[in-house]
Amino acid sequence: MEKQLRKKLENKEILLMTHIVLGYPSLDVNREVIEQMVSNGVDCIEMQIPFSEPMADGPVILKANQEALAGGTKVDDCFTFAAEIIQQHDIPFLFMTYYNIIFKYGEEAFFKRAADIGMKGFIIPDLPPEMGESFLALADKYKIAPVLIFTPTSTDTRMEELASHGRGFIYCAARRGVTGSKSEFGDDFKEYLGRCRAATNLPLAVGFGIRSKEDIDVLKGKADMAVIGSRTIQLVESEGAEAVGPFIARLR
Amino acid sequence: MEKQLRKKLENKEILLMTHIVLGYPSLDVNREVIEQMVSNGVDCIEMQIPFSEPMADGPVILKANQEALAGGTKVDDCFTFAAEIIQQHDIPFLFMTYYNIIFKYGEEAFFKRAADIGMKGFIIPDLPPEMGESFLALADKYKIAPVLIFTPTSTDTRMEELASHGRGFIYCAARRGVTGSKSEFGDDFKEYLGRCRAATNLPLAVGFGIRSKEDIDVLKGKADMAVIGSRTIQLVESEGAEAVGPFIARLR
Amino acid sequence: MDANGFFGSWGGAYIPEVLYQTFQDLKLEYARCRKDPAFWEEYIHLMSTYSCRPTPLTHAENLSNHFGGAQIYIKREDLNHTGAHKANNVMGQGLLVKRMGKKRVIAETGAGQHGMATATMAAKFGLDCTIYMGEEDVLRQRPNVFWMEKMGATVIPVKDGSRTLKDAINQAFRDWVTNVDDTHYVFGTACGPAPFPEMVSWFQSIIGIEAVDQIIQAHGKMPKKIYACVGGGSNAMGIFKRFLEEDVELVGVEAGGHGANSGAHAIRLASSDATPGVAQGYKTMFLQDEDGQMKHTHSVAAGLDYVGVSPILTDLWEKKLVRFESATDEEVMQALDLTMKKEGIIPALESAHAFAGAFREVGKLSVDDAIIINQSGRGDKDIFTIAHAFEDPSWEKFIIDRGKEYSKKHSG
Amino acid sequence: MDANGFFGSWGGAYIPEVLYQTFQDLKLEYARCRKDPAFWEEYIHLMSTYSCRPTPLTHAENLSNHFGGAQIYIKREDLNHTGAHKANNVMGQGLLVKRMGKKRVIAETGAGQHGMATATMAAKFGLDCTIYMGEEDVLRQRPNVFWMEKMGATVIPVKDGSRTLKDAINQAFRDWVTNVDDTHYVFGTACGPAPFPEMVSWFQSIIGIEAVDQIIQAHGKMPKKIYACVGGGSNAMGIFKRFLEEDVELVGVEAGGHGANSGAHAIRLASSDATPGVAQGYKTMFLQDEDGQMKHTHSVAAGLDYVGVSPILTDLWEKKLVRFESATDEEVMQALDLTMKKEGIIPALESAHAFAGAFREVGKLSVDDAIIINQSGRGDKDIFTIAHAFEDPSWEKFIIDRGKEYSKKHSG
Ligand SMILES: Cc1ncc(COP(=O)(O)O)c(C=O)c1O
Ligand SMILES: Cc1ncc(COP(=O)(O)O)c(C=O)c1O
């Protein structure tokens, strides 16, 4: 996946990754939203398999997880849907979910099926590398990038350690906290991004609270990819799937 | 008072003492009730000065105490009323009350005023002789009979001790408990009365739960005086003061 | 106590004749127990295995710093089984009842704490149990009633007089004179006819006996002052007794209600409203009118809302061995609030009077000195009163919703 | 515990990266404390002056006679300050927080007991405090909420998911990842990411350490069996830990709710409904569906109503060192009733599960044997649940009347 992203970066100042919660509000709407995202220039999409205990997510994504589950979304549905989407769109897709989904499915079976459908990476916010020995081995075996996370509380040493296990790109959380609310991009943030850059050669994706063109402009030159999460979910809620395309288009 | 009672006993098989609560339902009604009692042959009347904590009284007299106080009855009113009544009727009258009424008034002042109006005795259910040294001395000084109480729990020794302090007559409580509810006059009772008789030469008045001619008939030959308490209070409540005379008349 | 049960000119046993023999038996058994070291040992064993004696002495550092005066120590009677010092007295009397072979106990209760403790003791000792409780107190302390019933006791609401503690006591006496042979009346405080004031104080004296060692260990010397709330006087006597031998100022805090001049209070010794009297079986200072009729009293704390006071305390007051103060309902709520926030401790409303009394004075002492506050009970049983007094909106909403739910159930 | 926080194959620390450094610091400080005898001494001193440790071991003679089997001893964690074993853990973590210099604590709470304990500790140690509590539990345990607020804590009702304990935990984690620098998350039971399971068990182990001496003194030898209820597992680990070294059968009793086959229960280890999983930061047996989504659980006891269980207990279960049973809501109410009537003791609904489990088996043992039941807490805080469950008519009337009074006040 790293290569794919680097290639895209040759033509763009910054890449765009978006986030959807599978099954929220429905797989049909997901399909439409992805269509709009891809055709408006999104470079990468993380598809969250809903989990009942999304401890690292803020209110918007938390609610989306709950409603997706209440609507009957199963892990199997997510795989089937993802297979179809990957077929249709020529950008890298990732699964974002919590470790229990994979653990319960059976780690190797999960990796195998994901590889079979062409999934490029996994983001698992509750699986630090210490807990993921077999996970990381399987990622290697099935060539699926385990995307690891830097945070402002990570020391330089810790960043290096994470970088040594991460593949594809590093997800830099813009701040402490959960997904959703606004981040500040002041001096502290710049210093933090500098530390991230120093710690790894992998592309840097910055997420948490990115909501507008202004936010993205700040990141240009400092990061390789901006991650839009909760914002598009809210947009679909308030204005429908068709609002996503124009919103994405306006971001650059 | 003992002499007065003995004299009456010369002509009667058994004497009758009744009980009224001063100020309940009003002093006017008390006056009428006493009138009816005396003219129908009652031999002795205990007039209760109401107290807020009548711990030895059952529900009927308890309520009468409370209402008398709620109606504004004062100790001074009781004295004034008693003075008038004693003037009018030629039978012995007693004050029945709790010790605090006397204590608070001032023991000697209370005795003096009582003696002045011709009061013959006091019944104080919460003043055992051990607590009444000065009281008994004053009773002696002012020639007011301190009426003491025998109960079925009194041992022979205790009865003798009580008898040595009592004057006028002994009040034999027919049973354990408070005023008001029915007593049984079985074998135990007879044995008890026998013990009472053996312990003292004073006349014996039997009270607690005496309500009818039958009850009184049982006492004839065994006791010198029957005490009607709660029953007449209830009668006044349900049928008015004028019912008291006929009721008393029917008792012999 | 002299042979007639007097402390100075206070006390005695002004009892109906029918109880004479029972009191003789009680006094005899009590005297035997006092002479028998095995009895006290059995008592200590019971209290340290069934309740949690010795109760701790807590150094309230935050409160001490807040007032900047003496070090405040809190004697934690709230940690007793059933949540108050009442357990000490009740378990002691329970052992006595066992020795006397009686099968039934009765008790009065104001705050419900003594009723709870008695019902508990009765369950443990396998005794029948009837509790008399003023109707007004039944309303104020419903949860306690529920638990007493669950422990097998019969709770009888008393509808006479002021429908509070004193009326419950009268009613208990009426029961006792009726069922004197098999029944023991577990008097709940250091009042009533002798030997109750002394006997209850004896059982409660365990508080002070423990505290003296604890304060020496924690503070290295005797405290300057000790504060206890005074309803009937049992928790106060309990902590004071041992310290009467020492050079320590003892302060009893009475219920100031709406204020000393409001007429709505229960200040017997710290105001001139009370006069000597005889009621409920003993002689003491009562809140009564000029005829000797008992007055209505008021306190936010049901357990302090009482017309009389321990004859032992009246004697100590007369001899100036104990000083008396009062705290108003309002001061008490403030003291409660401060204690919760600063120390994470919830005193019973009764106990909060002792806190309020201490808070007024502690700042004047040196930081090298110590005082002890006797926390007679825990306040979480007072939720209905305390949440009510604080007018907590979410509590009120919660109760409204629950009430509607039950209403619907009963109508539907 | 191995270096990665595992007990056998259970446990670990599945935490968001943002917490990495905080966990490093926590593990370091915890390791220092374990090595420092002065820390444990300070802990014991705190618990014996602020709470009432050692808590007593009560010989329940009446219950023992009733069942005619082994002698029943009850370890009285209900007599702790704030009314449950939760105080042990919280005070220990409080000392740790002081050492780490953090200024704010957060906690989840189910029954409200852990929230109460944390709010109390925060007041005592002068810390800011936020408590997360499932909205459903806020309704079940309103009085606790009132007291937490009165002690200065902010209580946040959690409206996500099943609105019970697990959701409160998630929400607390969300707070923690946001305020990681100055905040410590006082985990309430022996679950969650390492080092919490071990650390909480360590603080709670004071229960068993005391009990071992107490049972030898009272009974002369080791007990045959020990019973504890199991929510997260902290009170069970607390009493079991020391006895793992002895030849004593350890029995954990889980919440049977409406029955093992009803789907409405919280039986993780005593039924085959649970499967291995990873959530809330650790690996254990969870009640989850085939996709790994956590199921709704049910228990009359809010504190047992939890999808996971201590990884240490899961390991002991797998190794057959602890046996697991369950008790239904109905059995629990009966056990509670019997215990109140026979012993005058009111177990918390949670604790009553241990009683129910023990009552089923105790009759089969000899009268010369002993068992210990761990009474993790007192039940009087559960008045709203217990009075409700017993459908007590005068309680319902009381609430209806109070509700009307408040309604009138708000409309008038
Ligand atoms: C907690 C508590 N403290 C104090 C009292 C007052 O009683 P006493 O003065 O006898 O200690 C009561 C009475 O119910 C009480 O419950
Ligand atoms: C009294 C009581 N017992 C038991 C529990 C269950 O927790 P654990 O299994 O951690 O002891 C709780 C939890 O709130 C509780 O309050």
Side-chain angles (χ1 to χ4, degrees):
Chain A
M1 180 168 58
E2 184 184 344
K3 264 190 240 152
Q4 245 176 318
L5 296 179
R6 293 227 179 272
K7 186 124 180 262
K8 282 174 176 271
L9 271 171
E10 287 167 15
N11 312 315
K12 294 184 180 175
E13 250 186 309
I14 192 160
L15 305 183
L16 220 54
M17 177 163 90
T18 51
H19 183 125
I20 60 156
V21 175
L22 293 174
Y24 180 76
S26 70
L27 290 173
D28 286 342
V29 174
N30 289 154
R31 186 179 291 111
E32 200 184 328
V33 169
I34 292 170
E35 171 66 47
Q36 299 234 357
M37 286 172 169
V38 177
S39 57
N40 283 281
V42 160
D43 303 287
C44 185
I45 295 181
E46 49 171 331
M47 298 193 287
Q48 180 165 0
I49 305 177
F51 181 46
S52 57
E53 321 299 310
M55 64 142 84
D57 283 299
V60 173
I61 296 184
L62 166 59
K63 175 167 161 264
N65 272 263
Q66 286 174 6
E67 307 246 318
L69 291 174
T73 309
K74 296 284 172 194
V75 174
D76 195 56
D77 303 332
C78 296
F79 269 116
T80 313
F81 178 82
E84 171 204 323
I85 292 293
I86 293 171
Q87 282 285 332
Q88 280 167 18
H89 301 288
D90 187 28
I91 61 164
F93 285 89
L94 297 90
F95 268 151
M96 183 270 175
T97 193
Y98 289 83
Y99 181 56
N100 199 45
I101 298 296
I102 299 173
F103 178 78
K104 184 73 182 150
Y105 194 91
E107 268 189 332
E108 177 134 21
F110 195 94
F111 268 100
K112 190 166 180 322
R113 186 162 175 191
D116 283 350
I117 64 170
M119 190 58 69
K120 290 292 181 282
F122 290 170
I123 304 176
I124 313 296
D126 65 345
L127 192 73
E130 297 80 17
M131 296 293 116
E133 204 180 324
S134 55
F135 176 91
L136 292 170
L138 289 165
D140 204 37
K141 174 169 171 192
Y142 288 98
K143 306 277 170 268
I144 290 183
V147 173
L148 297 189
I149 300 167
F150 285 2
T151 81
T153 62
S154 308
T155 59
D156 294 348
T157 334
R158 178 63 177 171
M159 284 184 180
E160 273 159 36
E161 193 180 344
L162 291 167
S164 75
H165 295 293
R167 299 289 178 269
F169 61 91
I170 291 287
Y171 191 120
C172 305
R175 53 167 168 74
R176 293 156 179 79
V178 290
T179 53
S181 43
K182 184 90 190 73
S183 296
E184 297 297 328
F185 303 117
D187 286 348
D188 283 359
F189 176 71
K190 280 172 203 153
E191 191 242 310
Y192 160 59
L193 265 198
R195 291 205 297 120
C196 296
R197 185 61 91 197
T200 182
N201 291 323
L202 287 168
L204 297 182
V206 175
F208 279 39
I210 295 175
R211 346 195 81 217
S212 64
K213 182 164 174 7
E214 292 70 53
D215 291 345
I216 292 171
D217 285 346
V218 174
L219 297 178
K220 284 180 186 165
K222 300 188 191 78
D224 305 300
M225 184 153 72
V227 187
I228 309 266
S230 307
R231 186 67 193 97
T232 50
I233 297 182
Q234 286 172 312
L235 200 65
V236 175
E237 280 172 2
S238 59
E239 302 176 30
E242 61 279 12
V244 174
F247 169 73
I248 298 288
R250 275 196 308 273
L251 288 177
R252 317 216 215 211
Chain B
M1 179 169 59
E2 184 184 345
K3 263 190 239 153
Q4 244 176 319
L5 296 178
R6 292 228 179 272
K7 186 126 180 259
K8 282 173 176 271
L9 271 170
E10 287 167 15
N11 312 316
K12 294 183 181 174
E13 250 184 307
I14 192 160
L15 305 183
L16 219 54
M17 177 163 90
T18 50
H19 183 126
I20 59 157
V21 176
L22 294 173
Y24 180 74
S26 68
L27 290 173
D28 286 341
V29 175
N30 288 155
R31 186 180 290 112
E32 200 184 327
V33 169
I34 292 171
E35 172 65 47
Q36 297 233 359
M37 285 172 169
V38 177
S39 57
N40 283 279
V42 160
D43 304 287
C44 185
I45 295 180
E46 49 171 332
M47 297 193 287
Q48 180 166 0
I49 304 177
F51 180 47
S52 57
E53 321 298 311
M55 65 142 84
D57 283 299
V60 173
I61 296 184
L62 166 60
K63 177 169 158 263
N65 272 264
Q66 286 174 4
E67 308 246 319
L69 292 174
T73 308
K74 296 284 174 194
V75 174
D76 195 55
D77 303 332
C78 296
F79 268 117
T80 313
F81 178 81
E84 172 204 323
I85 291 295
I86 293 171
Q87 283 284 331
Q88 280 168 18
H89 301 288
D90 187 26
I91 61 164
F93 285 89
L94 298 90
F95 268 150
M96 183 269 174
T97 193
Y98 289 83
Y99 181 57
N100 199 45
I101 297 297
I102 298 170
F103 179 78
K104 185 74 181 152
Y105 195 91
E107 268 188 331
E108 178 135 20
F110 195 94
F111 267 100
K112 188 164 181 323
R113 186 161 173 192
D116 283 350
I117 63 171
M119 191 58 69
K120 290 291 181 286
F122 290 170
I123 305 177
I124 313 296
D126 65 345
L127 192 73
E130 296 81 17
M131 297 293 116
E133 204 179 324
S134 55
F135 176 91
L136 292 171
L138 288 166
D140 204 39
K141 174 169 171 191
Y142 288 98
K143 305 278 168 270
I144 289 182
V147 174
L148 297 190
I149 300 167
F150 285 0
T151 81
T153 61
S154 307
T155 60
D156 294 348
T157 334
R158 179 62 177 173
M159 283 183 181
E160 272 159 37
E161 194 179 342
L162 292 167
S164 75
H165 295 294
R167 298 289 178 269
F169 61 90
I170 290 287
Y171 190 121
C172 305
R175 52 166 169 73
R176 293 156 178 77
V178 290
T179 53
S181 43
K182 183 90 190 73
S183 297
E184 297 297 328
F185 302 118
D187 286 347
D188 283 359
F189 177 71
K190 279 174 205 152
E191 191 244 307
Y192 160 58
L193 265 198
R195 291 204 298 120
C196 295
R197 185 59 92 196
T200 182
N201 291 323
L202 287 169
L204 296 183
V206 176
F208 278 39
I210 294 174
R211 345 194 83 219
S212 65
K213 182 166 176 3
E214 292 70 53
D215 291 346
I216 292 171
D217 285 346
V218 174
L219 297 179
K220 283 180 185 164
K222 299 188 192 75
D224 303 302
M225 184 152 72
V227 187
I228 310 266
S230 306
R231 187 70 193 94
T232 49
I233 297 183
Q234 286 172 310
L235 200 65
V236 175
E237 279 171 3
S238 59
E239 303 176 31
E242 60 280 14
V244 173
F247 168 74
I248 297 287
R250 275 197 309 274
L251 287 178
R252 316 217 214 210
Chain C
M1 181 169 77
D2 71 14
N4 280 326
F6 283 91
F7 302 84
S9 36
W10 311 98
Y14 296 83
I15 48 169
E17 190 56 35
V18 67
L19 295 177
Y20 178 81
Q21 195 51 45
T22 277
F23 270 82
Q24 291 298 102
D25 298 346
L26 179 62
K27 280 190 286 190
L28 194 71
E29 198 60 48
Y30 167 59
R32 279 200 200 117
C33 292
R34 291 226 40 166
K35 268 191 234 122
D36 180 2
F39 179 85
W40 189 256
E41 261 169 47
E42 186 182 358
Y43 172 65
I44 296 289
H45 177 76
L46 177 64
M47 295 311 289
S48 60
T49 56
Y50 186 62
S51 186
C52 93
R53 304 221 69 94
T55 57
L57 185 72
T58 302
H59 184 197
E61 278 183 76
N62 302 332
L63 284 173
S64 305
N65 294 340
H66 178 78
F67 290 107
Q71 299 310 306
I72 299 175
Y73 286 86
I74 303 174
K75 179 63 174 163
R76 300 292 302 280
E77 292 304 301
D78 60 306
L79 292 175
N80 268 301
H81 183 48
T82 74
H85 70 295
K86 298 285 176 188
N88 304 330
N89 169 35
V90 158
M91 291 299 149
Q93 292 199 42
L95 291 177
L96 209 77
V97 169
K98 245 178 54 179
R99 285 168 73 121
M100 294 191 296
K102 299 211 165 180
K103 296 279 173 269
R104 175 172 180 265
V105 288
I106 57 175
E108 88 291 349
T109 196
Q113 297 289 78
H114 176 58
M116 271 291 279
T118 305
T120 298
M121 179 274 276
K124 167 128 186 112
F125 287 125
L127 306 168
D128 280 345
C129 179
T130 300
I131 303 293
Y132 293 94
M133 190 165 182
E135 195 179 38
E136 178 146 323
D137 292 330
V138 168
L139 293 178
R140 289 197 270 194
Q141 307 281 340
R142 184 82 230 173
N144 285 332
V145 176
F146 175 78
W147 296 121
M148 288 186 252
E149 289 178 348
K150 275 286 143 206
M151 284 187 290
T154 305
V155 180
I156 302 188
V158 176
K159 300 176 187 190
D160 310 306
S162 57
R163 297 175 296 133
T164 60
L165 185 56
K166 75 173 176 57
D167 310 285
I169 292 178
N170 292 333
Q171 203 58 35
F173 270 116
R174 289 184 192 109
D175 180 316
W176 205 12
V177 298
T178 309
N179 304 294
V180 53
D181 300 332
D182 68 336
T183 297
H184 175 72
Y185 178 6
V186 184
F187 212 87
T189 186
C191 293
F196 281 114
E198 199 194 66
M199 186 169 78
V200 173
S201 300
W202 184 49
F203 290 128
Q204 295 293 1
S205 70
I206 193 171
I207 303 173
I209 291 172
E210 290 172 4
V212 89
D213 289 345
Q214 291 170 322
I215 192 74
I216 293 295
Q217 202 189 335
H219 176 66
K221 58 180 179 185
M222 283 291 158
K224 281 281 161 191
K225 296 167 199 269
I226 296 183
Y227 295 83
C229 67
V230 179
S234 68
N235 88 84
M237 277 310 300
I239 194 157
F240 290 168
K241 204 158 184 288
R242 171 64 183 78
F243 288 95
L244 280 166
E245 303 159 26
E246 310 290 338
D247 181 24
V248 173
E249 190 183 24
L250 307 174
V251 187
V253 186
E254 298 180 281
H258 296 325
N261 300 320
S262 66
H265 63 72
I267 319 177
R268 288 78 30 108
L269 299 176
S271 82
S272 51
D273 283 11
T275 53
V278 175
Q280 312 215 296
Y282 68 110
K283 185 187 287 181
T284 196
M285 296 291 283
F286 283 101
L287 287 165
Q288 54 183 337
D289 70 12
E290 66 294 343
D291 266 7
Q293 312 296 356
M294 296 301 142
K295 286 194 187 164
H296 281 237
T297 51
H298 162 80
S299 169
V300 68
L304 302 187
D305 196 357
Y306 180 52
V307 288
V309 62
S310 176
I312 313 183
L313 285 174
T314 305
D315 183 45
L316 293 169
W317 161 77
E318 209 175 32
K319 294 179 173 140
K320 301 210 178 338
L321 294 171
V322 175
R323 170 160 65 91
F324 284 84
E325 300 287 338
S326 68
T328 63
D329 290 355
E330 209 183 306
E331 288 172 290
V332 161
M333 294 311 289
Q334 279 166 14
L336 182 66
D337 209 40
L338 189 70
T339 306
M340 291 193 281
K341 294 230 158 46
K342 289 278 170 197
E343 299 291 343
I345 287 174
I346 312 174
L349 282 168
E350 289 79 10
S351 323
H353 284 72
F355 285 76
F359 290 173
R360 271 206 297 255
E361 306 181 349
V362 65
K364 291 175 213 145
L365 295 170
S366 147
V367 292
D368 300 329
D369 291 331
I371 65 164
I372 301 178
I373 300 172
N374 197 28
Q375 184 178 349
S376 52
R378 56 176 151 91
D380 52 352
K381 302 218 165 180
D382 291 326
I383 176 105
F384 281 94
T385 314
I386 297 180
H388 184 82
F390 282 119
E391 302 194 30
D392 184 70
S394 40
W395 171 259
E396 294 181 355
K397 181 173 178 323
F398 167 67
I399 295 295
I400 291 172
D401 290 349
R402 272 290 165 111
K404 282 187 190 146
E405 196 184 302
Y406 288 138
S407 288
K408 207 185 294 168
K409 174 180 152 189
H410 289 290
S411 68
Chain D
M1 181 168 78
D2 72 14
N4 279 325
F6 283 91
F7 303 83
S9 37
W10 311 98
Y14 297 82
I15 49 170
E17 191 55 36
V18 67
L19 294 177
Y20 178 82
Q21 194 51 44
T22 277
F23 269 82
Q24 292 298 103
D25 297 347
L26 179 62
K27 281 190 286 191
L28 194 71
E29 197 62 45
Y30 167 58
R32 277 200 201 117
C33 292
R34 290 225 43 164
K35 269 191 233 120
D36 180 1
F39 179 84
W40 188 256
E41 260 170 48
E42 186 181 358
Y43 173 64
I44 296 289
H45 178 75
L46 177 64
M47 295 312 288
S48 61
T49 56
Y50 186 63
S51 186
C52 93
R53 303 219 71 93
T55 58
L57 185 72
T58 302
H59 184 197
E61 277 184 75
N62 302 331
L63 283 173
S64 305
N65 295 339
H66 179 76
F67 291 106
Q71 300 309 306
I72 300 173
Y73 287 86
I74 303 173
K75 179 64 174 162
R76 302 292 302 281
E77 292 303 301
D78 59 306
L79 292 175
N80 268 301
H81 183 48
T82 75
H85 70 295
K86 298 286 175 188
N88 304 329
N89 169 35
V90 158
M91 291 299 149
Q93 291 199 43
L95 292 177
L96 209 78
V97 170
K98 245 178 54 179
R99 286 169 73 121
M100 294 191 297
K102 298 211 165 180
K103 296 278 172 269
R104 175 172 179 265
V105 288
I106 58 174
E108 85 292 349
T109 195
Q113 297 288 80
H114 176 58
M116 270 292 278
T118 305
T120 297
M121 178 274 275
K124 168 127 185 113
F125 287 124
L127 306 168
D128 280 345
C129 180
T130 299
I131 304 292
Y132 293 94
M133 190 166 183
E135 194 180 37
E136 179 146 323
D137 291 331
V138 169
L139 292 178
R140 290 198 270 195
Q141 308 281 341
R142 183 81 230 174
N144 285 332
V145 176
F146 175 78
W147 296 121
M148 287 185 253
E149 290 177 349
K150 275 286 142 206
M151 285 187 291
T154 304
V155 180
I156 301 188
V158 176
K159 299 177 186 189
D160 311 307
S162 55
R163 297 174 297 133
T164 60
L165 184 55
K166 73 173 178 58
D167 311 285
I169 293 177
N170 292 333
Q171 204 58 35
F173 271 115
R174 290 184 191 107
D175 179 316
W176 205 13
V177 298
T178 310
N179 304 293
V180 54
D181 300 333
D182 67 338
T183 297
H184 175 72
Y185 178 7
V186 183
F187 212 88
T189 186
C191 292
F196 282 114
E198 199 194 67
M199 186 169 78
V200 174
S201 300
W202 183 50
F203 290 129
Q204 293 292 0
S205 70
I206 192 171
I207 303 174
I209 291 172
E210 290 172 3
V212 90
D213 290 344
Q214 290 170 322
I215 192 73
I216 293 295
Q217 202 190 333
H219 176 66
K221 58 181 179 185
M222 283 291 158
K224 282 280 161 190
K225 296 166 198 269
I226 296 183
Y227 296 83
C229 68
V230 179
S234 69
N235 89 84
M237 277 310 301
I239 193 156
F240 290 168
K241 205 157 184 286
R242 172 63 183 79
F243 288 95
L244 281 166
E245 304 161 24
E246 311 289 338
D247 181 24
V248 173
E249 191 183 22
L250 307 174
V251 187
V253 186
E254 298 180 283
H258 297 325
N261 301 319
S262 66
H265 63 73
I267 319 179
R268 289 83 23 115
L269 299 175
S271 82
S272 52
D273 284 12
T275 53
V278 175
Q280 313 216 295
Y282 68 110
K283 185 186 288 182
T284 195
M285 296 291 283
F286 282 102
L287 288 165
Q288 54 182 338
D289 71 12
E290 66 293 344
D291 267 7
Q293 313 296 355
M294 297 300 143
K295 285 193 188 165
H296 281 236
T297 52
H298 162 80
S299 169
V300 68
L304 301 187
D305 197 356
Y306 180 51
V307 289
V309 62
S310 176
I312 312 183
L313 284 174
T314 305
D315 183 45
L316 293 170
W317 161 77
E318 210 176 32
K319 294 179 174 141
K320 301 210 179 338
L321 293 172
V322 175
R323 169 160 66 90
F324 284 83
E325 301 288 339
S326 68
T328 63
D329 290 355
E330 209 184 306
E331 288 172 290
V332 162
M333 294 311 289
Q334 279 165 15
L336 182 65
D337 209 40
L338 190 70
T339 306
M340 289 192 284
K341 294 231 158 47
K342 290 276 170 199
E343 299 292 343
I345 287 174
I346 311 174
L349 282 169
E350 289 79 10
S351 323
H353 284 72
F355 285 76
F359 291 173
R360 273 206 297 254
E361 307 181 348
V362 66
K364 291 174 213 145
L365 293 171
S366 147
V367 292
D368 299 329
D369 291 331
I371 64 164
I372 301 179
I373 301 172
N374 197 28
Q375 183 177 350
S376 52
R378 57 176 150 91
D380 53 351
K381 302 217 164 178
D382 291 326
I383 176 104
F384 280 94
T385 315
I386 297 180
H388 184 81
F390 281 118
E391 303 195 28
D392 184 70
S394 39
W395 171 259
E396 294 181 355
K397 180 171 178 326
F398 166 68
I399 295 295
I400 292 172
D401 291 348
R402 273 290 163 112
K404 282 189 190 146
E405 195 184 302
Y406 288 137
S407 288
K408 205 183 297 167
K409 173 180 154 189
H410 289 291
S411 68

